[in-house]
Amino acid sequence: MEPVVKINPGASKWDIRQKVWDYIEENNLANFPRPVHNRIPNFKAAIQGCNRLAELQEFKSSQTVKVNPDRPQQQARFVTLEARKTLLVPTPRLRTGLFNKITPPQGANKEQLRICSSSQGVKDFSVPIGLDANVKVDLVVVGSVAVSEKGCRIGKGEGFADMEYAMMVSMGAVNESTVVVTVVHDCQVVDIPEELMGSHDLTVDYILTPTRVIKTHCQFPKPQGIIWTKLDTEKLQRIPILKKLRALEEQAGKDVTLGEASLAAEFGLQSDQSRRQPRRRPRRDTQQDAEGDFSQESRQEKKVEAEQKARQRPARMRKDSRGDGKGDKEGETGKTAKGKHRESMKEQGPEEGGDEVVTQRKLPLNVTTVYLGGIPAELRVSELKTALRERKAAPLRLTWQGAQHRAFLDYSDPMAADMALEALQGLCLNGHSLQAELAKSQRGGKRSGQSNRRQKPAAALKAKMAPPEMKSDTTKKTEL
């Protein structure tokens, strides 16, 4: 069958995701939650696609089945429970562990099994499975944004399905003979360039759609375990079970050397600290959407709100809260507060106010900044990071000003910035074309580095906020 979504030559993973998401939205092919962007789409007729799982001989002969927690695979979880097989479901975003074993009430009827297969049922009727558990998984069901008939798979860009499989390899739960199945809408079956697949990418053996069963005869090897050099300490902090697995593999004598946090190739792996305030959406039912990290979004929203209120306070109040400089202790307090405020604002030029999220790194002095404009209001910083990685234009540091529809990207030197500019030409996200050019402070051959670009706005801010009798001293100190 000819793919309905045409992929252009040279397309990146992000380009393919965007095309599929746009097509599903434009043709109204999805159910709640909407929009489907940045999700595993809950496509219409997902139930019919999942029901085809029972037709597979590999499913019939299996005892333990692992199914992802996304909404469109809920029917696959029900089919597994109805067949009286052991159902394992990963913890969303691996926050508290690897996966849970669903344990329905004894003698449960169909209606009770449907409840157990829902996201709330997964929480209420499950037992956690540890890394040291002696588990053998016979069949794995994953969601996809796009998949090819050759078995190449693209997820939503966060890498959790790949990581879950790699962790199961490490604990001996799966091997090369374990069958991997994905359930998608027919429009999600596209031509994916094979060169986009990496050693960490999970491939599939079967594709189930509402109209057909596709055996891929995939020739690509599946992940052989966690590739530690693709992770950094920040990632380990966000996913505690990774830290535990690393300790176990280190004890077993394996090489568990981590990658560098600042490597461009591994830049910004969905850092919670680098998210901007979540976009406003209609209220979602937390029992129906297993993908959302509501507690983290809520904390981040409160943090951004507090920062905005602090910036909006009258100047006099801010001055008083920092201390008036009378006495050594109070003076130190004032310096600390001003230093912190300067740190949060240091990416902004004189005209560049706004609510930004900054990825903090020590930068070389000849750093060169690129301006990225035209960012759509609904875009998340994590989505932009994914697109930058895939175009090999990941910066040393990113300053997010989503409310002003722009971001600033710091590169190590003018040559790196020029290469990034070339890679970012024609970048289109969520149907919006983005504008990439050198930041104003860099134009006209002026690329003097970090100190020239950042100290001026900081000096202006400091002079503006200081008491009248301190302004001249403040300016002098900044210029030294």
Side-chain angles (χ1 to χ4, degrees), residues 36-99:
V36 298
H37 293 83
N38 313 306
R39 304 179 186 276
I40 300 296
N42 184 24
F43 61 94
K44 293 179 178 178
I47 289 176
Q48 289 90 317
C50 290
N51 283 340
R52 293 188 177 276
L53 188 62
E55 301 174 15
L56 298 181
Q57 182 57 45
E58 288 85 349
F59 175 79
K60 294 175 182 177
S61 61
S62 66
Q63 295 181 345
T64 301
V65 180
K66 177 247 178 189
V67 184
N68 71 310
D70 296 308
R71 183 70 182 275
Q73 278 71 54
Q74 180 172 328
Q75 182 68 9
R77 299 193 290 272
F78 170 74
V79 168
T80 301
L81 292 175
E82 189 181 36
R84 305 301 170 183
K85 300 180 185 295
T86 299
L87 172 62
L88 303 179
V89 179
T91 303
R93 296 182 178 274
L94 300 176
R95 289 189 296 270
T96 58
L98 181 51
F99 41 56

Side-chain angles (χ1 to χ4, degrees), residues 255-268:
D255 184 3
V256 294
T257 304
L258 298 176
E260 292 290 336
S262 60
L263 281 177
E266 301 306 323
F267 147 85

Side-chain angles (χ1 to χ4, degrees), residues 191-315:
D191 291 329
I192 298 176
E194 297 177 8
E195 58 268 21
L196 291 180
M197 294 295 103
S199 58
H200 63 284
D201 287 318
L202 179 62
T203 54
V204 302
D205 303 296
Y206 284 94
I207 303 168
L208 309 182
T209 80
T211 65
R212 54 184 174 151
V213 174
I214 303 170
K215 188 169 184 178
T216 66
H217 302 286
C218 186
Q219 300 299 309
F220 295 94
K222 294 183 174 63
Q224 300 300 302
I226 293 291
I227 304 173
W228 294 106
T229 53
K230 289 187 174 290
L231 303 177
D232 56 38
T233 52
E234 185 185 354
K235 190 75 169 177
L236 261 64
Q237 292 300 323
R238 295 199 304 274
I239 305 179
I241 193 170
L242 274 177
K243 193 186 299 184
K244 183 176 180 181
L245 177 61
R246 182 170 180 252
L248 291 173
E249 293 205 351
E250 189 172 25
Q251 289 175 8
K254 295 183 179 179
D255 184 3
V256 294
T257 304
L258 298 176
E260 292 290 336
S262 60
L263 281 177
E266 301 306 323
F267 147 85
L269 286 172
Q270 297 296 324
S271 171
D272 294 331
Q273 297 175 351
S274 301
R275 287 185 186 169
R276 71 169 176 86
Q277 184 175 357
R279 58 185 173 183
R280 293 187 177 274
R281 292 180 182 165
R283 182 178 295 175
R284 296 190 295 186
D285 185 344
T286 58
Q287 297 183 6
Q288 294 181 357
D289 186 1
E291 294 181 80
D293 187 349
F294 299 100
S295 60
Q296 289 179 349
E297 288 191 354
S298 175
R299 287 196 297 271
Q300 182 67 14
E301 188 170 355
K302 288 177 182 176
K303 180 181 176 182
V304 173
E305 240 174 59
E307 290 174 352
Q308 289 175 338
K309 285 179 182 177
R311 284 196 293 270
Q312 291 166 1
R313 271 187 234 153

Side-chain angles (χ1 to χ4, degrees), residues 153-172:
R153 171 192 172 273
I154 294 177
K156 60 187 175 185
E158 296 182 331
F160 285 105
D162 306 322
M163 196 176 302
E164 289 159 8
Y165 186 90
M167 292 173 75
M168 288 192 290
V169 170
S170 298
M171 63 185 290

